[in-house]
Amino acid sequence: MAELPLNINACLGYSGSPLVYGGDGKYLSINGNIVSSFHVDLTRGEASRHFPCKGFGPDMLIAHPSFHFYAYSERGERAAVHVCSMEDGKEAVHMPNVGSIGLDCMSFSQDGESMATISSIPDHTVSIWNWGEDGVDLQVTGVSPQEFSSCHFNPKNSDQLALLGNGQLFLCNVVNSEQGALELEFLRFDPPNPDVEFAAFTWDASGRLFSTTSEGSLWQLDVSLYTLSGEPCFFTDNPWSSSSLLSFDRSLVVCTGDARVLWFDADSLSKLYEVRIPLSSSHSLVSACMCSDSQRGDIVLSSSDGSVFLLEMLSDLPQTFEMSEAEVKDADVVFGEMQRDKLHSLKRIMLSHVGRVVGLSFSPLLSHSLVSAGEDGKLIFWDCRKKCASAVQDVGRPLSCVEHHPSYSLLAIGDEGGSVQLLDVSAFPKMKSRAVFKLFHSKVVSLRFSDKGKSLAVMAEGSSHVYLLKVEESSAEVRGYVETGAASSARGNLLWVREEQLIVAAELDHLLRIENFSERSEEELQLAADLSTIRTEIACGQVARVGGKFAASSSRSKKVLLFELEGSWGSAGAEEVSSLPPAQPSLTFGAHDKVVLHIAGGGDAGLLASGGEGGKIVLRSGDDLLTVHALRAFSAWQGGCSSMCLSSPAGLLACASCNGTVLLLASSLLLEEDASGPPTRFTMGKKLYDLLGEEVEAGEVRTFEEVRLLSIQEMNNALNAVKKNEMRDRIRQIKAQLDFLLEKNSGAPELERIAREEIVIDAELRKRIIADGDARVEDTKRSISEENVSKEEERRRIKEVAWDSMETHGMKIHAFTTDVSVPNYPILKVEEERKRRIDRIRTMREIELKTLARQQQEFGASKSFVQFDSYSLSFDLKSREGGDKTGDKTGDKPSDPESLKSSAVLDNTDESWRAQQDDPLIYHRLNVTTRERKTAQIYMLESFITSVKTKFNALFDEFLKKKSATLGRMEEKQTRILEILKELKQPDAKEALGLHDEEQPNKLLEVSDREISAPKWVSPAEQKAKEEEARKQREASAGDANVERALNMMMGGTLAGVNAISKLEQVMTKPANLEVGENEELTEEQQQKLKEWEAQYKAFLAEQDAYAKSLEGEAKKLRSEIVEESKKFDDQLQELTDVKMRTEYKLIELELYKVKLIQAIAQEEDDILARQSLVLGLEELKYRHELAEKAVGEYLEEVQTFELRVDAVRQEGANLEKGLRKELQEHAADKETIDQAMKAFKKRGKLDDILQGFSADLIQRLDNLVAEARSQDEVVQEHVTQLENMQSELKRLEWAKTQIEESIAAAEEEMKKLLQRMAQAEYDLDLTVGMKQGQVEVEQSTFITDYSDAELVERSVMSMLNEAIKSRGGDKIAVLNEIKEFRKGIHLLQWDNQRLELQEEDCLQKTKDLQVHSSSSPASADPQLMFYSCCESPRAFSDSSKGPRARVRPPRKLPGERPRVCLGPASDSSWGQAGEDDCVPISDPPAEDRGAQQGEQANLLTPRPDGDVSGGRGA
């Protein structure tokens, strides 16, 4: 049966998919399986448009730059791209097989002539298509290096696009390969640092690329150098907040996840403007698109709370940064302006659910009003005519279902906590809470009002109760519950058949009918009712009424069953149900490709709607529901249909999706849109209030039944309280009498008194209490014992793993006076299996060396790589240089390898190198090429590392012994110092001497008393034993007191006598006969003895003082010796520290070498696995290529055969034409008639008018020929269409074959590169290089210097080059010295020549002057003029007859100043008045590098005829 299309009346809400701008103020979004177009300006009243998509659900949506088309990608096997018209949604271009499963991203170029698609797993193919209205043509394709989430073309270069995915940004260029074909080149941009990822990117109109990063920075990227350019601009303090990046004109817009929109100048990346979107802290911005054809760049934003905003720019951006100070008018407004300032206006243009829409209900009072409930806790009332929300109420808890009352303005909602709430919507859009009932602890899955609305049935997940509520216009109460006997699933449903008849579908193998409810009693909440069942072939969870029948479906089946309301209902017992045969439905429908999730019935209207998991919506109507309208409205990849509801009077179907949208569908466009204008401004309700205006919170913990039972229990407790109090009073009286008798018994005589133990009121209770106490004691002992056993086992395991497994435990030697400490190397015990493996490897290595030696003896020495390297693995703890061996080797050597070493200098390079090693079995690094050698080298390196650690530990043990010996000597001196202090009676200043805890590893296993914080428990027996021992000691000490007193009196307190007392403790007492009593005098003899005693006493005191000073000196000396001992050991420990540093350096080097070997082996294993994978992949591809070739060949034969059949069919049509002509010619028709008839025949028209006059039989035969020709044309058209389809399929097969061939070529190229890398890896060895500071001529980095581009140069090469440079430099300097001396001589000769010439000229001039003077006045005295330098003595020449004189004096000459000639005055008296200014400097002889003109300058004074002195030329 053919399916008719369902018409889309409206799409209510926003699905949360990325927004796409469609031009002229419209934006596009994907809502399920529908592309919706909305206008951002609500005041225009422009209707939205909705276009269904093909397939099971689109992946992504883009718009053509011309805004005439949009394209969406179809997800699924052999994914396709559909390009459709923006006006009517009709498909313009179809692009099949663009990906195996789907696309990750796609984009149009700026000129609209190219399109890029990137397929998702498993192929990840980047394809660039030449796109046009006539079709598409694949330009170039390539395999992307990773997954990408977005791509965009360079606006100025359609052969370049940027790709972003997994935090990495790539540039893809279309380039020419070496063969001349087009290929794709992928270049990756490096982020600012390794921990930073790229977040978003955009191109501006001039072709510049910008990107934001995860650290909250904005960068410009250089697309020619593929690097970051300039300095960044940071825009957020939250490093990992998401961001969107847009471009408009000369500015950039960043939309951050923390609800901020920022504008930046694209040239300087300076911040210009910032706006904060009023969102709660739990929500963020998720999408943004730029209105590119707007005047100032308006932006449409979407948030995670289901809102869509329009950010409209009112004026140009400022030149400097401004923070928007706009105040939020109303953050809860649903439609309208939220905030505004001079630069922007923010409006909310849409609000919808977030997540699943769990319930829909049409208002029975207003058919155009629809309410939806969501898991986000929102109730949204939709106006189906205006196609927008009319009220929004946030309930504050996740909802699960909703239902309108059929008569009253009441709305029932159920939530996931098991509560049912009745809302009064009579004052719409304001709502009041009528009542809240906590009925269950689990989610309410269904609630239904009866036809008249007197009862409300409620069912919850996991509960076997169906509650009934009695509902009236002004009140509601719980009527009771009916026990169904089986718990309902999450998809259960209820259906009222009549006012007192209810059908329950709990997704079991039967349906349950409940009728004839009884009223409950005050004691019981359960209602009595008649139960009957009908068994079904599927586990029905949804039921709906359709006329006099009801439909049932299951979330585990694709079927919809139709049953009679009054069918064969049977007994409800479990055994009876299992024995019943499945009821036969009157009709069965199966139009869904996946399971049916929801159904809705039209009551008496004869409509049935069903929604499946695949997103398909089916509406059945007419007699026997045979008229079918269908539409795949939702995406199968998003869960399909989540809820649906049918409005019978309007024939309108509302269905909801799992992403927050609601669709209004109908078999015809019955619902006209209300053109009264945009929606009115209103706000969202945040709280619910009851009829008294108090806030209602549905936070009850106990259910209605639990509260009822608790109240009954409290009432019973109150009723029994009096009896309890009477019983307590009687017990108190009996207790008082007992106390009196006990007191009387205690005062009775002993013979009459009863022991207290015999007075037992309740012997059984006493025994029970004692037994309980003993049991608790035993339990405590057992728990303590178990805990001790557990801890002991834990201690044993820790000791076994961390202590017993160590060959050498970790220790650390501490210095006495400094903070220096040196640790040893902890060494693990080597397992026996590992020892045997190492021994086997070493034995095989010895065999290999001896075999090589034998081969060299027989065949001569072979070439080795060892000659190219002088690296040594030897190590000496006493060496100052870490890698040189200057002393004798210490430590143990391998067992047999001593025979392989030789102290003599050998000619063979390998043997010479091995002779220098501590372990000659180790391979040289340049010889470790194979995997086996690498593995053997790792084992031998581990053994060698252990031997190095063992050597150092031996030296460590020696130092520990030295410290113990030093401590012994220091303790002896400390003991003597204590004895001296005791003898001097000075306070003890004893310093604690001993080994540190870290120097005694065994102390780690000992627990001292000071480490136990809890006091020790002493049992009564132990306490008694201690007291007894103390008593015995006191008795023994009492007997020793007399002995001690006698010892003190007779022997000075010691058995050694008085002589054992120290000199300082000895006392010299005055004899008794020298004591003078009162009124007594000493005799002369006594006086003499007294003087002698006093002299002896003075000597005694002097001797004591000298002895004390000797003791103090001895103590001081001992202290200095202790300090010297500690300092001496500390100096020795510093040497051990140096050895430790060298050992650590060597071990780090060896460990690094070992790690590199392990990495090489791991890389080799990875390469082997990759090679195996490539081999298997190539085999699979070749097998597929063979199948493809075979399929193409076979299908080509079929196409060729079908082409012959088409030709045959066409020939049949031509034969009909020939038959017609033949008929006409046979019946003597003229040529004109024949031509007209043939023309009409070709047009397949009627021949009656043309063939007038011919027989009816002929005309009938000719009409039959025309009819046959028409049918033949249809056959030809069908064959041609089929041929075109077959040719298209042939092209597809050939394209698939080409794709496989390209995949084979790519795999073979990858295999070639892998094999080449594996071949290079065999000899691509990692070597460790030790570099000395001052010999590294690479620019050093702050952290880790990159030496990848550096070159290593041998020292000998550098020395040779330095010597050559020095030799050539010396030669050049010698030549320059010779040139200098030669030029110096030339300048000197030139200067002498010029001087002589000037002297000659001067002499000639003087001769002329003398001749002139002598001729004019021969009798007068010759005026003479003498010239003196500053170093000559002054002279004066005077003429009495002539006036002026010329005087020359030596002026004061400063150091380094040139000599001067001074002109003195005419008189002698004024000689001293000549100043320094009258002196003229005399030029020095010209320097060797000056010109000839400088050499000609001189200071020469010649007299003029007037007697004055003037300067002239002179030498």
Side-chain angles (χ1 to χ4, degrees), residues 410-441:
L410 291 178
L411 185 70
I413 57 174
D415 61 26
E416 293 187 356
S419 297
V420 175
Q421 188 170 12
L422 295 178
L423 302 179
D424 187 348
V425 294
S426 58
F428 185 83
K430 294 183 179 180
M431 282 161 268
K432 297 288 185 178
S433 176
R434 179 68 61 82
V436 181
F437 301 98
K438 175 74 174 180
L439 302 179
F440 305 97
H441 287 295

mmCIF file of all heavy atoms in Angstrom, residues 410-441:
data_model
loop_
_atom_site.group_PDB
_atom_site.id
_atom_site.type_symbol
_atom_site.label_atom_id
_atom_site.label_comp_id
_atom_site.label_asym_id
_atom_site.label_seq_id
_atom_site.Cartn_x
_atom_site.Cartn_y
_atom_site.Cartn_z
ATOM 1 N N LEU A 410 -7.529 22.158 34.471
ATOM 2 C CA LEU A 410 -6.556 21.487 35.315
ATOM 3 C C LEU A 410 -5.546 20.758 34.444
ATOM 4 O O LEU A 410 -5.874 20.276 33.348
ATOM 5 C CB LEU A 410 -7.232 20.490 36.258
ATOM 6 C CG LEU A 410 -8.111 21.045 37.377
ATOM 7 C CD1 LEU A 410 -8.726 19.894 38.165
ATOM 8 C CD2 LEU A 410 -7.310 21.959 38.286
ATOM 9 N N LEU A 411 -4.339 20.685 34.974
ATOM 10 C CA LEU A 411 -3.254 19.986 34.280
ATOM 11 C C LEU A 411 -2.553 19.086 35.285
ATOM 12 O O LEU A 411 -2.168 19.537 36.367
ATOM 13 C CB LEU A 411 -2.249 20.985 33.685
ATOM 14 C CG LEU A 411 -1.139 20.399 32.829
ATOM 15 C CD1 LEU A 411 -1.698 19.862 31.515
ATOM 16 C CD2 LEU A 411 -0.081 21.464 32.535
ATOM 17 N N ALA A 412 -2.410 17.798 34.936
ATOM 18 C CA ALA A 412 -1.735 16.839 35.808
ATOM 19 C C ALA A 412 -0.352 16.551 35.251
ATOM 20 O O ALA A 412 -0.201 16.301 34.053
ATOM 21 C CB ALA A 412 -2.542 15.546 35.921
ATOM 22 N N ILE A 413 0.658 16.606 36.118
ATOM 23 C CA ILE A 413 2.035 16.303 35.703
ATOM 24 C C ILE A 413 2.610 15.257 36.650
ATOM 25 O O ILE A 413 2.304 15.230 37.851
ATOM 26 C CB ILE A 413 2.921 17.564 35.699
ATOM 27 C CG1 ILE A 413 2.928 18.228 37.078
ATOM 28 C CG2 ILE A 413 2.486 18.535 34.622
ATOM 29 C CD1 ILE A 413 3.897 19.404 37.179
ATOM 30 N N GLY A 414 3.411 14.385 36.097
ATOM 31 C CA GLY A 414 4.124 13.394 36.887
ATOM 32 C C GLY A 414 5.617 13.581 36.726
ATOM 33 O O GLY A 414 6.091 13.994 35.655
ATOM 34 N N ASP A 415 6.396 13.288 37.767
ATOM 35 C CA ASP A 415 7.844 13.496 37.711
ATOM 36 C C ASP A 415 8.573 12.191 37.965
ATOM 37 O O ASP A 415 7.971 11.140 38.234
ATOM 38 C CB ASP A 415 8.283 14.584 38.689
ATOM 39 C CG ASP A 415 7.949 14.239 40.134
ATOM 40 O OD1 ASP A 415 7.852 13.051 40.447
ATOM 41 O OD2 ASP A 415 7.789 15.165 40.942
ATOM 42 N N GLU A 416 9.889 12.279 37.885
ATOM 43 C CA GLU A 416 10.716 11.081 38.052
ATOM 44 C C GLU A 416 10.851 10.674 39.507
ATOM 45 O O GLU A 416 11.378 9.607 39.798
ATOM 46 C CB GLU A 416 12.101 11.331 37.450
ATOM 47 C CG GLU A 416 12.081 11.494 35.941
ATOM 48 C CD GLU A 416 13.478 11.559 35.353
ATOM 49 O OE1 GLU A 416 14.447 11.547 36.146
ATOM 50 O OE2 GLU A 416 13.602 11.611 34.114
ATOM 51 N N GLY A 417 10.401 11.522 40.423
ATOM 52 C CA GLY A 417 10.450 11.159 41.842
ATOM 53 C C GLY A 417 9.218 10.448 42.337
ATOM 54 O O GLY A 417 9.140 10.100 43.518
ATOM 55 N N GLY A 418 8.229 10.227 41.461
ATOM 56 C CA GLY A 418 7.027 9.511 41.859
ATOM 57 C C GLY A 418 5.903 10.395 42.337
ATOM 58 O O GLY A 418 4.909 9.900 42.877
ATOM 59 N N SER A 419 6.010 11.732 42.138
ATOM 60 C CA SER A 419 4.968 12.653 42.591
ATOM 61 C C SER A 419 4.039 13.004 41.444
ATOM 62 O O SER A 419 4.440 13.025 40.276
ATOM 63 C CB SER A 419 5.590 13.940 43.154
ATOM 64 O OG SER A 419 6.380 13.655 44.293
ATOM 65 N N VAL A 420 2.776 13.301 41.802
ATOM 66 C CA VAL A 420 1.763 13.776 40.862
ATOM 67 C C VAL A 420 1.281 15.124 41.368
ATOM 68 O O VAL A 420 0.954 15.266 42.559
ATOM 69 C CB VAL A 420 0.601 12.784 40.726
ATOM 70 C CG1 VAL A 420 -0.486 13.361 39.838
ATOM 71 C CG2 VAL A 420 1.081 11.454 40.191
ATOM 72 N N GLN A 421 1.262 16.116 40.465
ATOM 73 C CA GLN A 421 0.874 17.464 40.856
ATOM 74 C C GLN A 421 -0.230 17.945 39.926
ATOM 75 O O GLN A 421 -0.170 17.733 38.711
ATOM 76 C CB GLN A 421 2.077 18.410 40.793
ATOM 77 C CG GLN A 421 1.807 19.785 41.370
ATOM 78 C CD GLN A 421 3.102 20.591 41.496
ATOM 79 O OE1 GLN A 421 4.134 20.218 40.965
ATOM 80 N NE2 GLN A 421 3.029 21.695 42.223
ATOM 81 N N LEU A 422 -1.258 18.578 40.526
ATOM 82 C CA LEU A 422 -2.363 19.158 39.770
ATOM 83 C C LEU A 422 -2.186 20.660 39.737
ATOM 84 O O LEU A 422 -2.033 21.302 40.789
ATOM 85 C CB LEU A 422 -3.704 18.792 40.407
ATOM 86 C CG LEU A 422 -4.080 17.304 40.388
ATOM 87 C CD1 LEU A 422 -5.406 17.083 41.091
ATOM 88 C CD2 LEU A 422 -4.147 16.776 38.974
ATOM 89 N N LEU A 423 -2.171 21.235 38.514
ATOM 90 C CA LEU A 423 -1.995 22.666 38.333
ATOM 91 C C LEU A 423 -3.287 23.276 37.824
ATOM 92 O O LEU A 423 -3.944 22.732 36.939
ATOM 93 C CB LEU A 423 -0.866 22.943 37.330
ATOM 94 C CG LEU A 423 0.513 22.376 37.668
ATOM 95 C CD1 LEU A 423 1.495 22.708 36.567
ATOM 96 C CD2 LEU A 423 1.012 22.912 38.997
ATOM 97 N N ASP A 424 -3.630 24.431 38.384
ATOM 98 C CA ASP A 424 -4.794 25.195 37.957
ATOM 99 C C ASP A 424 -4.332 26.204 36.907
ATOM 100 O O ASP A 424 -3.515 27.093 37.191
ATOM 101 C CB ASP A 424 -5.400 25.914 39.157
ATOM 102 C CG ASP A 424 -6.717 26.590 38.797
ATOM 103 O OD1 ASP A 424 -7.029 26.683 37.593
ATOM 104 O OD2 ASP A 424 -7.422 27.025 39.722
ATOM 105 N N VAL A 425 -4.819 26.054 35.660
ATOM 106 C CA VAL A 425 -4.408 26.923 34.569
ATOM 107 C C VAL A 425 -5.559 27.813 34.124
ATOM 108 O O VAL A 425 -5.570 28.303 32.990
ATOM 109 C CB VAL A 425 -3.885 26.087 33.369
ATOM 110 C CG1 VAL A 425 -2.622 25.378 33.719
ATOM 111 C CG2 VAL A 425 -4.943 25.095 32.896
ATOM 112 N N SER A 426 -6.498 28.060 35.017
ATOM 113 C CA SER A 426 -7.643 28.903 34.651
ATOM 114 C C SER A 426 -7.220 30.349 34.459
ATOM 115 O O SER A 426 -7.829 31.076 33.679
ATOM 116 C CB SER A 426 -8.730 28.807 35.724
ATOM 117 O OG SER A 426 -8.210 29.190 36.985
ATOM 118 N N ALA A 427 -6.174 30.788 35.176
ATOM 119 C CA ALA A 427 -5.673 32.160 35.043
ATOM 120 C C ALA A 427 -4.473 32.184 34.112
ATOM 121 O O ALA A 427 -3.496 32.875 34.357
ATOM 122 C CB ALA A 427 -5.300 32.720 36.410
ATOM 123 N N PHE A 428 -4.518 31.385 33.060
ATOM 124 C CA PHE A 428 -3.405 31.267 32.114
ATOM 125 C C PHE A 428 -2.976 32.669 31.626
ATOM 126 O O PHE A 428 -3.851 33.509 31.358
ATOM 127 C CB PHE A 428 -3.850 30.396 30.929
ATOM 128 C CG PHE A 428 -2.776 30.102 29.935
ATOM 129 C CD1 PHE A 428 -1.885 29.074 30.166
ATOM 130 C CD2 PHE A 428 -2.648 30.860 28.782
ATOM 131 C CE1 PHE A 428 -0.900 28.795 29.237
ATOM 132 C CE2 PHE A 428 -1.671 30.591 27.868
ATOM 133 C CZ PHE A 428 -0.785 29.563 28.093
ATOM 134 N N PRO A 429 -1.688 32.990 31.522
ATOM 135 C CA PRO A 429 -0.532 32.081 31.596
ATOM 136 C C PRO A 429 -0.015 31.826 33.004
ATOM 137 O O PRO A 429 0.980 31.116 33.154
ATOM 138 C CB PRO A 429 0.512 32.816 30.760
ATOM 139 C CG PRO A 429 0.207 34.243 30.940
ATOM 140 C CD PRO A 429 -1.287 34.331 31.052
ATOM 141 N N LYS A 430 -0.652 32.432 34.037
ATOM 142 C CA LYS A 430 -0.232 32.140 35.394
ATOM 143 C C LYS A 430 -0.846 30.826 35.853
ATOM 144 O O LYS A 430 -1.981 30.517 35.517
ATOM 145 C CB LYS A 430 -0.634 33.263 36.328
ATOM 146 C CG LYS A 430 0.085 34.575 36.037
ATOM 147 C CD LYS A 430 -0.300 35.631 37.047
ATOM 148 C CE LYS A 430 0.441 36.939 36.784
ATOM 149 N NZ LYS A 430 0.081 37.999 37.758
ATOM 150 N N MET A 431 -0.072 30.069 36.649
ATOM 151 C CA MET A 431 -0.506 28.749 37.091
ATOM 152 C C MET A 431 -0.413 28.663 38.605
ATOM 153 O O MET A 431 0.522 29.212 39.208
ATOM 154 C CB MET A 431 0.369 27.652 36.451
ATOM 155 C CG MET A 431 -0.002 27.360 35.013
ATOM 156 S SD MET A 431 1.311 26.520 34.129
ATOM 157 C CE MET A 431 2.177 27.914 33.440
ATOM 158 N N LYS A 432 -1.360 27.952 39.176
ATOM 159 C CA LYS A 432 -1.384 27.724 40.615
ATOM 160 C C LYS A 432 -1.374 26.223 40.873
ATOM 161 O O LYS A 432 -1.959 25.439 40.121
ATOM 162 C CB LYS A 432 -2.650 28.330 41.253
ATOM 163 C CG LYS A 432 -2.755 29.841 41.126
ATOM 164 C CD LYS A 432 -1.759 30.550 42.018
ATOM 165 C CE LYS A 432 -1.975 32.056 41.960
ATOM 166 N NZ LYS A 432 -1.041 32.781 42.851
ATOM 167 N N SER A 433 -0.727 25.843 41.954
ATOM 168 C CA SER A 433 -0.673 24.432 42.325
ATOM 169 C C SER A 433 -1.899 24.087 43.146
ATOM 170 O O SER A 433 -2.162 24.705 44.183
ATOM 171 C CB SER A 433 0.604 24.149 43.119
ATOM 172 O OG SER A 433 0.622 22.809 43.556
ATOM 173 N N ARG A 434 -2.670 23.113 42.653
ATOM 174 C CA ARG A 434 -3.886 22.698 43.349
ATOM 175 C C ARG A 434 -3.558 21.649 44.414
ATOM 176 O O ARG A 434 -4.062 21.740 45.539
ATOM 177 C CB ARG A 434 -4.880 22.132 42.331
ATOM 178 C CG ARG A 434 -6.188 21.632 42.930
ATOM 179 C CD ARG A 434 -7.024 22.760 43.493
ATOM 180 N NE ARG A 434 -7.413 23.734 42.469
ATOM 181 C CZ ARG A 434 -8.442 23.571 41.647
ATOM 182 N NH1 ARG A 434 -9.180 22.480 41.701
ATOM 183 N NH2 ARG A 434 -8.736 24.498 40.773
ATOM 184 N N ALA A 435 -2.734 20.674 44.069
ATOM 185 C CA ALA A 435 -2.405 19.616 45.041
ATOM 186 C C ALA A 435 -1.174 18.865 44.556
ATOM 187 O O ALA A 435 -0.894 18.813 43.351
ATOM 188 C CB ALA A 435 -3.576 18.658 45.221
ATOM 189 N N VAL A 436 -0.432 18.283 45.513
ATOM 190 C CA VAL A 436 0.747 17.463 45.217
ATOM 191 C C VAL A 436 0.611 16.164 45.988
ATOM 192 O O VAL A 436 0.360 16.173 47.208
ATOM 193 C CB VAL A 436 2.066 18.170 45.606
ATOM 194 C CG1 VAL A 436 3.262 17.279 45.265
ATOM 195 C CG2 VAL A 436 2.187 19.511 44.903
ATOM 196 N N PHE A 437 0.754 15.026 45.291
ATOM 197 C CA PHE A 437 0.635 13.714 45.915
ATOM 198 C C PHE A 437 1.915 12.926 45.638
ATOM 199 O O PHE A 437 2.282 12.719 44.474
ATOM 200 C CB PHE A 437 -0.567 12.947 45.360
ATOM 201 C CG PHE A 437 -1.873 13.655 45.559
ATOM 202 C CD1 PHE A 437 -2.431 14.409 44.533
ATOM 203 C CD2 PHE A 437 -2.535 13.568 46.763
ATOM 204 C CE1 PHE A 437 -3.626 15.065 44.704
ATOM 205 C CE2 PHE A 437 -3.757 14.225 46.945
ATOM 206 C CZ PHE A 437 -4.297 14.979 45.915
ATOM 207 N N LYS A 438 2.597 12.521 46.697
ATOM 208 C CA LYS A 438 3.767 11.646 46.574
ATOM 209 C C LYS A 438 3.251 10.209 46.658
ATOM 210 O O LYS A 438 2.947 9.687 47.729
ATOM 211 C CB LYS A 438 4.756 11.935 47.695
ATOM 212 C CG LYS A 438 5.947 10.998 47.732
ATOM 213 C CD LYS A 438 6.941 11.283 46.634
ATOM 214 C CE LYS A 438 8.172 10.425 46.821
ATOM 215 N NZ LYS A 438 9.195 10.638 45.806
ATOM 216 N N LEU A 439 3.162 9.549 45.483
ATOM 217 C CA LEU A 439 2.557 8.216 45.435
ATOM 218 C C LEU A 439 3.582 7.104 45.306
ATOM 219 O O LEU A 439 3.324 5.984 45.756
ATOM 220 C CB LEU A 439 1.587 8.143 44.247
ATOM 221 C CG LEU A 439 0.450 9.171 44.254
ATOM 222 C CD1 LEU A 439 -0.404 9.003 43.008
ATOM 223 C CD2 LEU A 439 -0.400 9.037 45.513
ATOM 224 N N PHE A 440 4.728 7.380 44.695
ATOM 225 C CA PHE A 440 5.720 6.335 44.425
ATOM 226 C C PHE A 440 7.118 6.868 44.753
ATOM 227 O O PHE A 440 7.319 8.067 44.954
ATOM 228 C CB PHE A 440 5.694 5.903 42.944
ATOM 229 C CG PHE A 440 4.345 5.451 42.460
ATOM 230 C CD1 PHE A 440 3.496 6.322 41.784
ATOM 231 C CD2 PHE A 440 3.917 4.146 42.680
ATOM 232 C CE1 PHE A 440 2.261 5.916 41.334
ATOM 233 C CE2 PHE A 440 2.679 3.730 42.233
ATOM 234 C CZ PHE A 440 1.845 4.615 41.571
ATOM 235 N N HIS A 441 8.049 5.919 44.772
ATOM 236 C CA HIS A 441 9.472 6.261 44.886
ATOM 237 C C HIS A 441 10.161 6.243 43.524
ATOM 238 O O HIS A 441 11.331 6.620 43.427
ATOM 239 C CB HIS A 441 10.194 5.294 45.820
ATOM 240 C CG HIS A 441 9.854 5.519 47.266
ATOM 241 N ND1 HIS A 441 10.192 6.675 47.939
ATOM 242 C CD2 HIS A 441 9.215 4.730 48.173
ATOM 243 C CE1 HIS A 441 9.780 6.603 49.182
ATOM 244 N NE2 HIS A 441 9.172 5.434 49.357
#
